[in-house]
Amino acid sequence: MKRTKVIDALKRTDFGSEITVMGWVRSKRGSKGIFFIALNDGSTIKNVQIVGEDEKFPEDTVKLITTGACLRVVGTLVESPAAGQASEVQAKEIEVLGACDNTYPLQKKGASWEYLRTVAHMRPRTNTFGAILRIRHNMAMAIHTYFHEHGFYYFHTPLITASDCEGAGNMFQVTTKNLYDLKKDEQGKIDYSDDFFGQQVALTVSGQLEGELGATALGQIYTFGPTFRAENSNTPRHLAEFWMIEPEMAFYDKQDLMDLEEDFIKYCVRWALDNCRDDLEFLNKMVDKTLIERLEGVLKETFVRLPYTEGIEILQEAIRNGKKFEFPCQWGDDLASEHERYLVEEHFRKPVIMTDYPKEIKAFYMKLNEDGKTMQGTDVLFPQIGEIIGGSVREESYDKLMAEINRRGMETEKLEWYLDTRRWGSCPHAGFGLGFERLILFVTGMQNIRDVIPFPRTPKNCEF
Ligand code: ATP
Ligand code: MN
C-alpha cells in the first residue's frame, strides 16, 4: 500500500480506512499491554500517534520500537480520543526498517545547543531543527517568489574569483598547487602561472561586482548563493560559509533602494507567518516566547530611516545619560553590534535603515554624497540581530569611482572588467546583500547562527 505522509495522514478523515505511514519514533510509552508511539517523518512538526497492543506483535518487534528507530506501520485510521489530534493509527502490522540502540545520540530530551552542534549530522531529526530547516526552505521559496514576481532575474555569479584576491585577508584561496612543495621566487612570491587558473584565485566574499554586470544589462537581478569569508570572528552572527541574497537594480536611487529593502524583508516575514505556522508555534513555545509577537510587530512598523550622523548623536546622548558601551562610537567609527541593537531595541524599538555612512568605513564602490564625506549606504538593522542587510547606491561616475580607488591605493588590474560598466553606458544603480542565515535567525528566534544552517563552518570547525 502507498505510504501516506504524516502531514497528510493528520488531515485525513476517512476513518476506518487502511493506512501506511513510515517515519522515526520520537517517543514510545505504554501501559497495561498497550503502547503509544509518536511517529514523525519530517513532513511536519506534528507526530502521528500509533496505538497497538503488545500481544498482537512479536516480542522481538516490540523490543525494537525505541526512540529513533525507523518504522513502517500499516493500520486503521481512527478518530482519536486524545486531545490535540484528530486521528491516530491503530497498528495491524509494524516493520522495523531501521533499529536504533541506546548509543543513539538524541535519546535525551532537552539537550543543549552546544551538544547538538557536536552531533550536527543527526540534529535535523530533532523537533527544533526540523522546524528550523523547514522554515529555512520556506524562506528560500519566499525569496525566489518575491523576486520572480517583481521582475528580477536569478543571476548566477561565480564562486571562484580572481578579483579582490590581493591584500584582502579574509578570502579562502583555491589552488591545486602542492603546498608541500611550494616554490617561491627571489622576492619570496609564489608563481601562480602553473596553478590551475594560471593566477591566484579564491572563493568569493560577495557576488555583487558581477551582479552589477547583470543589473546593467538585465535591469534587475538577484543572486542567491554560498559566500565565503575567512573572518576569524567567533561571534554568534558570523559563519565562514553562509548564503547571501544580492539584488542589484539599474535606475534605483537611495529612496527606491530603502523601499525595496523594507518591502522585501516584510514579504519574507509575512511568508513565514502564513506558511510556517505550526513550526513557528512550536518555536514560540520551546525557544522564544515572544517570537510570533516580534514577527507580527515588524510587519506593523514602518522602518526608521536614520542618517548615520543622527545615529551617532543619539548614541552620544545615551552615553551622556549613563549608558555604557564596550566600544567607542564617535563620528567616523564603525558601529558595533551593541550600538546597532541599542538604536533598534531600546531607542526606536523598531527596525532601522541607517544611511549615509562616513566613507572611511565603507566600500569603494558606494556613491559619494555631495558633502564629500559620506556615502549612500543603506544598512538595515534588526532587533536581536543587528545588521541584517548591507546595501548602497553604487557610484556610477567613472571619474569619481577611479578617484576613490586611487585614494585607497587599490590595484585596478583585476577590476578592469568591473570598471567597464562605468566606461560604457554607465547607469545609476543600487543593490544590497542580505545574509540568509541572519534572516533565519530572526524568523526562528534562534540565538546562534551555527544553529540555523545544517552544517556550520566556523573557525576550527569543518566537521560533517
Ligand atoms: P558584519 O559587520 O555583520 O560583519 P558586513 O558589514 O561584513 O557585516 P556585508 O559585507 O555588508 O556585511 O554583507 C552583507 C550581509 O551579509 C550582512 O548584512 C550580513 O547579513 C551578511 N553577512 C556578512 N558577513 C557574514 C558572515 N560572516 N556570516 C553570515 N552572514 C554574514
Ligand atoms: Mn563582516
Side-chain angles (χ1 to χ4, degrees), residues 51 53 68 132 143 198 242 271 314 364 397 425 434 449 460:
V51 189
E53 287 159 55
I132 293 165
I143 288 161
F242 62 102
W271 183 292
I314 293 170
F364 74 95
S397 147
L434 166 81
I449 201 162
K460 302 284 182 288

Side-chain angles (χ1 to χ4, degrees), residues 229 231 238 438:
R229 294 191 184 178
E231 39 197 353
H238 289 90
R438 299 224 181 144

